[in-house]
Amino acid sequence: MSVSWWIWAVLMLAIAAMLAVDLFLHRDNHVIGFREAAVWSGIWIAAGLLFGVILWAWQGGDVAGTYYAGYLIEKALSIDNVFVFALIFTYFAVPAALQHKVLFWGVIGALAFRFIFIFVGAELLETFFWTAYVFGTFLIYTGYKMAFRHGDQTPPDRNPVVRLVRKIIPTDANYHGDKFFTRINGKRVATLLFVVLIAVEATDLIFAIDSVAAILAITTSTFIVWTANAFAILGLRSLYFCLAGLLRRFVHLHYGLAVLLAFAGVKLILSETPVGKLPIPVTLGVIVVTITVSILWSLRSTRGITTGADDVPEDGTPADPSTTTAR
């Protein structure tokens, strides 16, 4: 799918405008409640679905179907991001009023990572056929780890990137309002909020590799892969605040996500065999059924557990996120 440069420019400007509006409306760093998060989640999801409709009218059903398949995979994997963000915020005791700012700049980094990975990954798949086997095997292995080693989680402050930043940049162990940097005794230092941001960015770097590889298994069209990623990631902050009190109920969701990653890996490998690429309706069907089954299985298994907005303490962090599963 060939797209003119001006369409890319319009798309980037639209994304920048949406991020600017979001930043302006949350410039006071207020605590995000469930109702506000639900409204914004609805807005972001509507924007993502509407873009698919535009693609349908512009390029036809096959292109739109490919976009929706990629969007659904990324949206599903975003839920797993939420588990880890909850763990990071609780580990560092991030005040509720500051969480949106961290997630906002985290999304900026996520978009940048994905933009790079998409173009590099698509070019590799187009140039070297054997990279499909490498990416496919990586996705299958990642699916295996998610299914059977999902509870293995390195403490955020032991993340190699976070430790490196702390060695290079002088840091203070306290929060200083919403500042990432401040001056102490005339010396400019990074605050604990900056360390949290680095932890979020470092974690999302790993997520970016998984999600981009999964969508590249569906299509190597950089425009489709980028838009599917972008519209799914734009709603990540609102999704976090919506699900903060519900995390403990998604106890089996990681199995569904593992199946999706493994399926994407197999699909990518098959694309370089006589079988060829699987039809988009089949791909969409597998994604929808897998997500639905894993969510219903989780809700059935945790029936009777009281969760929701009331589970979120006044500081805004999820209750006991260490009991939730995380990648």
Side-chain angles (χ1 to χ4, degrees), residues 33-309:
F34 178 80
R35 180 175 299 177
E36 180 182 357
V39 170
W40 273 101
S41 289
I43 292 173
W44 292 123
I45 291 173
L49 296 178
L50 178 60
F51 186 78
V53 174
I54 293 174
L55 280 178
W56 197 305
W58 174 35
Q59 293 287 334
D62 288 344
V63 172
T66 302
Y67 163 79
Y68 281 128
Y71 177 80
L72 285 174
I73 282 185
E74 180 60 38
K75 204 67 177 176
L77 291 174
S78 293
I79 298 177
D80 209 44
N81 291 38
V82 170
F83 284 104
V84 179
F85 293 161
L87 179 66
I88 292 174
F89 286 161
T90 302
Y91 187 91
F92 288 106
V94 182
L98 303 181
Q99 292 176 8
H100 181 274
K101 181 171 183 177
V102 173
L103 290 177
F104 176 86
W105 291 107
V107 164
I108 299 295
L111 291 172
F113 291 147
R114 282 160 173 76
F115 190 82
I116 296 171
F117 291 161
I118 286 167
F119 280 87
V120 172
E123 185 63 27
L124 287 174
L125 286 172
E126 291 288 346
T127 306
F128 306 105
F129 77 91
W130 49 265
T131 54
Y133 301 118
V134 176
F135 286 176
T137 302
F138 169 75
L139 286 171
I140 294 172
Y141 175 67
T142 303
Y144 163 78
K145 286 207 309 179
M146 184 176 290
F148 300 105
R149 298 175 59 186
H150 200 259
D152 299 343
Q153 182 67 29
T154 302
D157 67 338
R158 294 181 61 188
N159 183 290
V161 177
V162 173
R163 296 174 68 179
L164 178 62
V165 169
R166 276 182 158 169
K167 287 183 179 180
I168 297 175
I169 303 175
T171 59
D172 184 66
N174 300 300
Y175 293 106
H176 294 265
D178 64 348
K179 296 179 180 178
F180 289 126
F181 291 90
T182 189
R183 287 190 177 277
I184 298 179
N185 298 324
K187 185 178 181 181
R188 187 174 176 81
V189 299
T191 67
L192 185 57
L193 193 66
F194 181 76
V195 175
V196 174
L197 176 61
I198 294 301
V200 168
E201 296 284 18
T203 301
D204 192 73
L205 181 62
I206 300 174
F207 288 144
I209 297 173
D210 292 352
S211 60
V212 169
I215 300 182
L216 285 172
I218 299 173
T219 178
T220 55
S221 168
T222 52
F223 186 79
I224 297 300
V225 178
W226 166 247
T227 51
N229 264 272
F231 279 104
I233 289 298
L234 284 173
L236 183 58
R237 300 177 308 290
S238 300
L239 183 67
Y240 169 80
F241 292 108
C242 273
L243 298 181
L246 302 174
L247 295 181
R248 71 181 70 176
R249 296 206 60 183
F250 295 134
V251 294
H252 301 309
L253 180 63
H254 63 286
Y255 290 118
L257 300 180
V259 170
L260 289 182
L261 288 174
F263 171 73
V266 171
K267 187 176 186 299
L268 193 56
I269 292 174
L270 290 177
S271 67
E272 294 296 335
T273 69
V275 175
K277 292 186 177 181
L278 297 180
I280 290 301
V282 173
T283 301
L284 275 171
V286 171
I287 294 171
V288 171
V289 170
T290 302
I291 295 173
T292 302
V293 169
S294 59
I295 290 178
L296 292 178
W297 181 23
S298 296
L299 296 178
R300 182 179 178 83
S301 298
T302 56
R303 184 183 301 169
I305 295 179
T306 302
T307 57

